[in-house]
Amino acid sequence: MRCRGMPYLMIAASLFTTDGIIKFWIERKKKDGEETPMANGKIVIKKYHNKGAMFDMGNKNQHNIAMLSLVFSAFMTGIFTATLEKQDKRLLKTGLAFIIGGAYSNTYDRLKRKYVVDYVSFHINTEKCRQKIVQKLAEKWNGVVFNLSDFGIFAGALILTLCTGAHEES
């Protein structure tokens, strides 16, 4: 009997492993504050230690953020496990796989390192922004640093949003 959940488990495991390898490399090879611009400066690779949650929220409560992250990851795993052996719901399982792969990678960081390793940001040329409010938003955006797990969580949430309300037939 074939495990219907194996492709989805592989998505989660691959995201967790790939992000872990990149984080390991960033920690070993990048110095704090060192930036490597790519794509004409629109993408920047750098090492950033996020001690809180998204956008550094809660960075003074690292223990609470880590525990909340663990509870969220476990909760999502419960939902994921409940859907794994169903023949349908492929989009749901795919979205959940991305979410738990990313969530466990960041949770692992929070528990082991006491911070999440982020390493990629996208830059907007603020000199071309004509309106002050757009310039301020662009400056804030330029300071945000992500990792592959963040993209996985975002992609999973987007997939779940797209499949919510729509009846999946396969």
Side-chain angles (χ1 to χ4, degrees), residues 53-84:
M54 182 175 52
F55 305 118
D56 251 348
M57 290 187 296
N59 62 1
K60 304 273 191 238
N61 297 306
Q62 292 167 298
H63 177 75
N64 293 340
I65 295 295
M67 290 303 104
L68 186 62
S69 182
L70 186 60
V71 167
F72 172 78
S73 298
F75 176 76
M76 293 307 292
T77 300
I79 295 170
F80 181 64
T81 303
T83 66
L84 272 183

PDB file of all heavy atoms in Angstrom, residues 53-84:
ATOM      1  N   ALA A  53       9.520  37.436  16.424  1.00  0.00           N
ATOM      2  CA  ALA A  53       8.702  36.795  15.392  1.00  0.00           C
ATOM      3  C   ALA A  53       8.818  37.645  14.129  1.00  0.00           C
ATOM      4  O   ALA A  53       9.781  38.392  13.960  1.00  0.00           O
ATOM      5  CB  ALA A  53       7.262  36.693  15.879  1.00  0.00           C
ATOM      6  N   MET A  54       7.812  37.586  13.299  1.00  0.00           N
ATOM      7  CA  MET A  54       7.800  38.348  12.063  1.00  0.00           C
ATOM      8  C   MET A  54       8.069  39.827  12.352  1.00  0.00           C
ATOM      9  O   MET A  54       7.500  40.400  13.280  1.00  0.00           O
ATOM     10  CB  MET A  54       6.425  38.166  11.408  1.00  0.00           C
ATOM     11  CG  MET A  54       6.250  38.833  10.099  1.00  0.00           C
ATOM     12  SD  MET A  54       4.650  38.450   9.331  1.00  0.00           S
ATOM     13  CE  MET A  54       3.493  38.827  10.614  1.00  0.00           C
ATOM     14  N   PHE A  55       8.949  40.424  11.559  1.00  0.00           N
ATOM     15  CA  PHE A  55       9.336  41.833  11.687  1.00  0.00           C
ATOM     16  C   PHE A  55       9.912  42.143  13.071  1.00  0.00           C
ATOM     17  O   PHE A  55       9.781  43.247  13.583  1.00  0.00           O
ATOM     18  CB  PHE A  55       8.168  42.777  11.384  1.00  0.00           C
ATOM     19  CG  PHE A  55       7.544  42.535  10.044  1.00  0.00           C
ATOM     20  CD1 PHE A  55       6.223  42.153   9.934  1.00  0.00           C
ATOM     21  CD2 PHE A  55       8.284  42.670   8.882  1.00  0.00           C
ATOM     22  CE1 PHE A  55       5.642  41.912   8.702  1.00  0.00           C
ATOM     23  CE2 PHE A  55       7.717  42.436   7.645  1.00  0.00           C
ATOM     24  CZ  PHE A  55       6.398  42.062   7.548  1.00  0.00           C
ATOM     25  N   ASP A  56      10.544  41.164  13.685  1.00  0.00           N
ATOM     26  CA  ASP A  56      11.196  41.315  15.001  1.00  0.00           C
ATOM     27  C   ASP A  56      10.218  41.593  16.138  1.00  0.00           C
ATOM     28  O   ASP A  56      10.623  42.019  17.216  1.00  0.00           O
ATOM     29  CB  ASP A  56      12.248  42.426  14.956  1.00  0.00           C
ATOM     30  CG  ASP A  56      13.658  41.878  15.026  1.00  0.00           C
ATOM     31  OD1 ASP A  56      13.820  40.682  15.332  1.00  0.00           O
ATOM     32  OD2 ASP A  56      14.602  42.642  14.781  1.00  0.00           O
ATOM     33  N   MET A  57       8.938  41.356  15.922  1.00  0.00           N
ATOM     34  CA  MET A  57       7.964  41.575  16.993  1.00  0.00           C
ATOM     35  C   MET A  57       8.245  40.581  18.130  1.00  0.00           C
ATOM     36  O   MET A  57       8.526  39.415  17.880  1.00  0.00           O
ATOM     37  CB  MET A  57       6.530  41.381  16.490  1.00  0.00           C
ATOM     38  CG  MET A  57       6.078  42.472  15.554  1.00  0.00           C
ATOM     39  SD  MET A  57       4.328  42.354  15.105  1.00  0.00           S
ATOM     40  CE  MET A  57       4.270  40.821  14.217  1.00  0.00           C
ATOM     41  N   GLY A  58       8.171  41.056  19.340  1.00  0.00           N
ATOM     42  CA  GLY A  58       8.358  40.195  20.493  1.00  0.00           C
ATOM     43  C   GLY A  58       9.802  39.827  20.759  1.00  0.00           C
ATOM     44  O   GLY A  58      10.072  38.850  21.467  1.00  0.00           O
ATOM     45  N   ASN A  59      10.752  40.609  20.250  1.00  0.00           N
ATOM     46  CA  ASN A  59      12.155  40.238  20.420  1.00  0.00           C
ATOM     47  C   ASN A  59      12.634  40.309  21.869  1.00  0.00           C
ATOM     48  O   ASN A  59      13.692  39.807  22.193  1.00  0.00           O
ATOM     49  CB  ASN A  59      13.071  41.048  19.493  1.00  0.00           C
ATOM     50  CG  ASN A  59      13.026  42.531  19.757  1.00  0.00           C
ATOM     51  OD1 ASN A  59      12.331  43.002  20.637  1.00  0.00           O
ATOM     52  ND2 ASN A  59      13.761  43.273  18.956  1.00  0.00           N
ATOM     53  N   LYS A  60      11.841  40.880  22.737  1.00  0.00           N
ATOM     54  CA  LYS A  60      12.178  40.912  24.169  1.00  0.00           C
ATOM     55  C   LYS A  60      11.605  39.696  24.901  1.00  0.00           C
ATOM     56  O   LYS A  60      11.879  39.475  26.065  1.00  0.00           O
ATOM     57  CB  LYS A  60      11.644  42.198  24.813  1.00  0.00           C
ATOM     58  CG  LYS A  60      12.131  43.464  24.156  1.00  0.00           C
ATOM     59  CD  LYS A  60      13.444  43.894  24.727  1.00  0.00           C
ATOM     60  CE  LYS A  60      13.764  45.296  24.259  1.00  0.00           C
ATOM     61  NZ  LYS A  60      14.985  45.405  23.547  1.00  0.00           N
ATOM     62  N   ASN A  61      10.772  38.921  24.209  1.00  0.00           N
ATOM     63  CA  ASN A  61      10.123  37.742  24.794  1.00  0.00           C
ATOM     64  C   ASN A  61      10.462  36.496  23.984  1.00  0.00           C
ATOM     65  O   ASN A  61       9.577  35.763  23.553  1.00  0.00           O
ATOM     66  CB  ASN A  61       8.598  37.937  24.838  1.00  0.00           C
ATOM     67  CG  ASN A  61       8.201  39.086  25.715  1.00  0.00           C
ATOM     68  OD1 ASN A  61       8.586  39.149  26.862  1.00  0.00           O
ATOM     69  ND2 ASN A  61       7.432  40.005  25.156  1.00  0.00           N
ATOM     70  N   GLN A  62      11.752  36.246  23.791  1.00  0.00           N
ATOM     71  CA  GLN A  62      12.188  35.150  22.933  1.00  0.00           C
ATOM     72  C   GLN A  62      11.612  33.805  23.369  1.00  0.00           C
ATOM     73  O   GLN A  62      11.200  33.008  22.524  1.00  0.00           O
ATOM     74  CB  GLN A  62      13.717  35.067  22.920  1.00  0.00           C
ATOM     75  CG  GLN A  62      14.356  36.245  22.230  1.00  0.00           C
ATOM     76  CD  GLN A  62      15.834  36.290  22.500  1.00  0.00           C
ATOM     77  OE1 GLN A  62      16.261  36.431  23.637  1.00  0.00           O
ATOM     78  NE2 GLN A  62      16.606  36.185  21.436  1.00  0.00           N
ATOM     79  N   HIS A  63      11.591  33.526  24.655  1.00  0.00           N
ATOM     80  CA  HIS A  63      11.090  32.247  25.148  1.00  0.00           C
ATOM     81  C   HIS A  63       9.610  32.074  24.782  1.00  0.00           C
ATOM     82  O   HIS A  63       9.201  31.013  24.295  1.00  0.00           O
ATOM     83  CB  HIS A  63      11.298  32.115  26.658  1.00  0.00           C
ATOM     84  CG  HIS A  63      10.736  30.849  27.217  1.00  0.00           C
ATOM     85  ND1 HIS A  63      11.356  29.628  27.028  1.00  0.00           N
ATOM     86  CD2 HIS A  63       9.615  30.599  27.935  1.00  0.00           C
ATOM     87  CE1 HIS A  63      10.628  28.683  27.606  1.00  0.00           C
ATOM     88  NE2 HIS A  63       9.575  29.250  28.163  1.00  0.00           N
ATOM     89  N   ASN A  64       8.819  33.121  25.008  1.00  0.00           N
ATOM     90  CA  ASN A  64       7.390  33.045  24.683  1.00  0.00           C
ATOM     91  C   ASN A  64       7.162  32.878  23.183  1.00  0.00           C
ATOM     92  O   ASN A  64       6.283  32.119  22.770  1.00  0.00           O
ATOM     93  CB  ASN A  64       6.655  34.278  25.194  1.00  0.00           C
ATOM     94  CG  ASN A  64       6.610  34.347  26.699  1.00  0.00           C
ATOM     95  OD1 ASN A  64       6.790  33.347  27.385  1.00  0.00           O
ATOM     96  ND2 ASN A  64       6.384  35.538  27.230  1.00  0.00           N
ATOM     97  N   ILE A  65       7.951  33.574  22.383  1.00  0.00           N
ATOM     98  CA  ILE A  65       7.839  33.457  20.921  1.00  0.00           C
ATOM     99  C   ILE A  65       8.190  32.027  20.502  1.00  0.00           C
ATOM    100  O   ILE A  65       7.507  31.427  19.668  1.00  0.00           O
ATOM    101  CB  ILE A  65       8.746  34.479  20.202  1.00  0.00           C
ATOM    102  CG1 ILE A  65       8.287  35.920  20.496  1.00  0.00           C
ATOM    103  CG2 ILE A  65       8.807  34.210  18.708  1.00  0.00           C
ATOM    104  CD1 ILE A  65       6.925  36.283  19.964  1.00  0.00           C
ATOM    105  N   ALA A  66       9.238  31.455  21.088  1.00  0.00           N
ATOM    106  CA  ALA A  66       9.642  30.081  20.754  1.00  0.00           C
ATOM    107  C   ALA A  66       8.544  29.092  21.133  1.00  0.00           C
ATOM    108  O   ALA A  66       8.230  28.175  20.361  1.00  0.00           O
ATOM    109  CB  ALA A  66      10.948  29.729  21.453  1.00  0.00           C
ATOM    110  N   MET A  67       7.948  29.262  22.292  1.00  0.00           N
ATOM    111  CA  MET A  67       6.889  28.343  22.722  1.00  0.00           C
ATOM    112  C   MET A  67       5.641  28.493  21.845  1.00  0.00           C
ATOM    113  O   MET A  67       5.020  27.506  21.462  1.00  0.00           O
ATOM    114  CB  MET A  67       6.531  28.572  24.192  1.00  0.00           C
ATOM    115  CG  MET A  67       7.611  28.146  25.178  1.00  0.00           C
ATOM    116  SD  MET A  67       8.071  26.409  25.018  1.00  0.00           S
ATOM    117  CE  MET A  67       9.636  26.505  24.168  1.00  0.00           C
ATOM    118  N   LEU A  68       5.284  29.727  21.510  1.00  0.00           N
ATOM    119  CA  LEU A  68       4.154  29.971  20.622  1.00  0.00           C
ATOM    120  C   LEU A  68       4.416  29.351  19.247  1.00  0.00           C
ATOM    121  O   LEU A  68       3.523  28.748  18.646  1.00  0.00           O
ATOM    122  CB  LEU A  68       3.897  31.478  20.503  1.00  0.00           C
ATOM    123  CG  LEU A  68       2.671  31.909  19.730  1.00  0.00           C
ATOM    124  CD1 LEU A  68       1.403  31.390  20.397  1.00  0.00           C
ATOM    125  CD2 LEU A  68       2.623  33.429  19.644  1.00  0.00           C
ATOM    126  N   SER A  69       5.626  29.477  18.764  1.00  0.00           N
ATOM    127  CA  SER A  69       6.017  28.896  17.488  1.00  0.00           C
ATOM    128  C   SER A  69       5.899  27.372  17.523  1.00  0.00           C
ATOM    129  O   SER A  69       5.397  26.748  16.580  1.00  0.00           O
ATOM    130  CB  SER A  69       7.457  29.306  17.170  1.00  0.00           C
ATOM    131  OG  SER A  69       7.870  28.813  15.928  1.00  0.00           O
ATOM    132  N   LEU A  70       6.316  26.766  18.624  1.00  0.00           N
ATOM    133  CA  LEU A  70       6.223  25.316  18.787  1.00  0.00           C
ATOM    134  C   LEU A  70       4.758  24.857  18.827  1.00  0.00           C
ATOM    135  O   LEU A  70       4.380  23.885  18.164  1.00  0.00           O
ATOM    136  CB  LEU A  70       6.960  24.877  20.042  1.00  0.00           C
ATOM    137  CG  LEU A  70       7.085  23.377  20.281  1.00  0.00           C
ATOM    138  CD1 LEU A  70       7.824  22.699  19.140  1.00  0.00           C
ATOM    139  CD2 LEU A  70       7.808  23.129  21.603  1.00  0.00           C
ATOM    140  N   VAL A  71       3.931  25.591  19.562  1.00  0.00           N
ATOM    141  CA  VAL A  71       2.506  25.255  19.652  1.00  0.00           C
ATOM    142  C   VAL A  71       1.842  25.386  18.273  1.00  0.00           C
ATOM    143  O   VAL A  71       1.086  24.508  17.853  1.00  0.00           O
ATOM    144  CB  VAL A  71       1.789  26.132  20.710  1.00  0.00           C
ATOM    145  CG1 VAL A  71       0.277  26.019  20.601  1.00  0.00           C
ATOM    146  CG2 VAL A  71       2.261  25.762  22.109  1.00  0.00           C
ATOM    147  N   PHE A  72       2.141  26.471  17.561  1.00  0.00           N
ATOM    148  CA  PHE A  72       1.586  26.664  16.219  1.00  0.00           C
ATOM    149  C   PHE A  72       2.016  25.537  15.290  1.00  0.00           C
ATOM    150  O   PHE A  72       1.201  24.978  14.543  1.00  0.00           O
ATOM    151  CB  PHE A  72       2.019  28.019  15.646  1.00  0.00           C
ATOM    152  CG  PHE A  72       1.652  28.197  14.201  1.00  0.00           C
ATOM    153  CD1 PHE A  72       0.357  28.510  13.839  1.00  0.00           C
ATOM    154  CD2 PHE A  72       2.607  28.038  13.202  1.00  0.00           C
ATOM    155  CE1 PHE A  72       0.006  28.660  12.495  1.00  0.00           C
ATOM    156  CE2 PHE A  72       2.261  28.180  11.863  1.00  0.00           C
ATOM    157  CZ  PHE A  72       0.961  28.491  11.517  1.00  0.00           C
ATOM    158  N   SER A  73       3.299  25.182  15.322  1.00  0.00           N
ATOM    159  CA  SER A  73       3.819  24.111  14.467  1.00  0.00           C
ATOM    160  C   SER A  73       3.124  22.789  14.778  1.00  0.00           C
ATOM    161  O   SER A  73       2.741  22.045  13.865  1.00  0.00           O
ATOM    162  CB  SER A  73       5.330  23.965  14.639  1.00  0.00           C
ATOM    163  OG  SER A  73       5.992  25.150  14.256  1.00  0.00           O
ATOM    164  N   ALA A  74       2.956  22.489  16.052  1.00  0.00           N
ATOM    165  CA  ALA A  74       2.286  21.243  16.458  1.00  0.00           C
ATOM    166  C   ALA A  74       0.823  21.246  16.020  1.00  0.00           C
ATOM    167  O   ALA A  74       0.307  20.233  15.524  1.00  0.00           O
ATOM    168  CB  ALA A  74       2.396  21.057  17.964  1.00  0.00           C
ATOM    169  N   PHE A  75       0.148  22.375  16.181  1.00  0.00           N
ATOM    170  CA  PHE A  75      -1.251  22.496  15.771  1.00  0.00           C
ATOM    171  C   PHE A  75      -1.395  22.253  14.266  1.00  0.00           C
ATOM    172  O   PHE A  75      -2.255  21.493  13.820  1.00  0.00           O
ATOM    173  CB  PHE A  75      -1.795  23.878  16.160  1.00  0.00           C
ATOM    174  CG  PHE A  75      -3.197  24.133  15.699  1.00  0.00           C
ATOM    175  CD1 PHE A  75      -4.271  23.544  16.347  1.00  0.00           C
ATOM    176  CD2 PHE A  75      -3.447  24.977  14.616  1.00  0.00           C
ATOM    177  CE1 PHE A  75      -5.582  23.774  15.913  1.00  0.00           C
ATOM    178  CE2 PHE A  75      -4.741  25.215  14.181  1.00  0.00           C
ATOM    179  CZ  PHE A  75      -5.810  24.608  14.834  1.00  0.00           C
ATOM    180  N   MET A  76      -0.528  22.895  13.486  1.00  0.00           N
ATOM    181  CA  MET A  76      -0.584  22.731  12.035  1.00  0.00           C
ATOM    182  C   MET A  76      -0.238  21.293  11.636  1.00  0.00           C
ATOM    183  O   MET A  76      -0.789  20.759  10.675  1.00  0.00           O
ATOM    184  CB  MET A  76       0.363  23.718  11.336  1.00  0.00           C
ATOM    185  CG  MET A  76      -0.045  25.180  11.487  1.00  0.00           C
ATOM    186  SD  MET A  76      -1.738  25.550  10.992  1.00  0.00           S
ATOM    187  CE  MET A  76      -1.665  25.288   9.246  1.00  0.00           C
ATOM    188  N   THR A  77       0.653  20.657  12.393  1.00  0.00           N
ATOM    189  CA  THR A  77       0.993  19.262  12.129  1.00  0.00           C
ATOM    190  C   THR A  77      -0.218  18.364  12.362  1.00  0.00           C
ATOM    191  O   THR A  77      -0.442  17.406  11.608  1.00  0.00           O
ATOM    192  CB  THR A  77       2.175  18.811  13.013  1.00  0.00           C
ATOM    193  OG1 THR A  77       3.296  19.646  12.722  1.00  0.00           O
ATOM    194  CG2 THR A  77       2.541  17.358  12.766  1.00  0.00           C
ATOM    195  N   GLY A  78      -1.001  18.669  13.387  1.00  0.00           N
ATOM    196  CA  GLY A  78      -2.225  17.908  13.647  1.00  0.00           C
ATOM    197  C   GLY A  78      -3.192  17.992  12.475  1.00  0.00           C
ATOM    198  O   GLY A  78      -3.748  16.970  12.037  1.00  0.00           O
ATOM    199  N   ILE A  79      -3.375  19.194  11.961  1.00  0.00           N
ATOM    200  CA  ILE A  79      -4.261  19.378  10.807  1.00  0.00           C
ATOM    201  C   ILE A  79      -3.692  18.640   9.589  1.00  0.00           C
ATOM    202  O   ILE A  79      -4.407  17.933   8.874  1.00  0.00           O
ATOM    203  CB  ILE A  79      -4.463  20.882  10.503  1.00  0.00           C
ATOM    204  CG1 ILE A  79      -5.206  21.551  11.658  1.00  0.00           C
ATOM    205  CG2 ILE A  79      -5.205  21.072   9.183  1.00  0.00           C
ATOM    206  CD1 ILE A  79      -5.242  23.057  11.563  1.00  0.00           C
ATOM    207  N   PHE A  80      -2.401  18.785   9.386  1.00  0.00           N
ATOM    208  CA  PHE A  80      -1.716  18.135   8.265  1.00  0.00           C
ATOM    209  C   PHE A  80      -1.875  16.608   8.351  1.00  0.00           C
ATOM    210  O   PHE A  80      -2.233  15.956   7.369  1.00  0.00           O
ATOM    211  CB  PHE A  80      -0.239  18.535   8.293  1.00  0.00           C
ATOM    212  CG  PHE A  80       0.603  17.964   7.194  1.00  0.00           C
ATOM    213  CD1 PHE A  80       0.371  18.292   5.867  1.00  0.00           C
ATOM    214  CD2 PHE A  80       1.667  17.117   7.484  1.00  0.00           C
ATOM    215  CE1 PHE A  80       1.177  17.783   4.848  1.00  0.00           C
ATOM    216  CE2 PHE A  80       2.469  16.609   6.478  1.00  0.00           C
ATOM    217  CZ  PHE A  80       2.220  16.939   5.167  1.00  0.00           C
ATOM    218  N   THR A  81      -1.632  16.057   9.516  1.00  0.00           N
ATOM    219  CA  THR A  81      -1.733  14.607   9.723  1.00  0.00           C
ATOM    220  C   THR A  81      -3.148  14.109   9.448  1.00  0.00           C
ATOM    221  O   THR A  81      -3.337  13.047   8.849  1.00  0.00           O
ATOM    222  CB  THR A  81      -1.298  14.234  11.156  1.00  0.00           C
ATOM    223  OG1 THR A  81       0.035  14.714  11.362  1.00  0.00           O
ATOM    224  CG2 THR A  81      -1.338  12.747  11.389  1.00  0.00           C
ATOM    225  N   ALA A  82      -4.131  14.894   9.855  1.00  0.00           N
ATOM    226  CA  ALA A  82      -5.528  14.502   9.652  1.00  0.00           C
ATOM    227  C   ALA A  82      -5.906  14.471   8.168  1.00  0.00           C
ATOM    228  O   ALA A  82      -6.832  13.767   7.787  1.00  0.00           O
ATOM    229  CB  ALA A  82      -6.456  15.455  10.403  1.00  0.00           C
ATOM    230  N   THR A  83      -5.184  15.188   7.328  1.00  0.00           N
ATOM    231  CA  THR A  83      -5.514  15.238   5.903  1.00  0.00           C
ATOM    232  C   THR A  83      -4.657  14.303   5.052  1.00  0.00           C
ATOM    233  O   THR A  83      -4.997  14.045   3.900  1.00  0.00           O
ATOM    234  CB  THR A  83      -5.344  16.667   5.345  1.00  0.00           C
ATOM    235  OG1 THR A  83      -3.969  17.027   5.387  1.00  0.00           O
ATOM    236  CG2 THR A  83      -6.182  17.660   6.093  1.00  0.00           C
ATOM    237  N   LEU A  84      -3.560  13.797   5.601  1.00  0.00           N
ATOM    238  CA  LEU A  84      -2.578  13.074   4.782  1.00  0.00           C
ATOM    239  C   LEU A  84      -3.132  11.883   4.000  1.00  0.00           C
ATOM    240  O   LEU A  84      -2.790  11.700   2.837  1.00  0.00           O
ATOM    241  CB  LEU A  84      -1.404  12.598   5.643  1.00  0.00           C
ATOM    242  CG  LEU A  84      -0.270  13.588   5.788  1.00  0.00           C
ATOM    243  CD1 LEU A  84       0.854  12.980   6.601  1.00  0.00           C
ATOM    244  CD2 LEU A  84       0.239  14.093   4.466  1.00  0.00           C
TER     245      LEU A  84
END
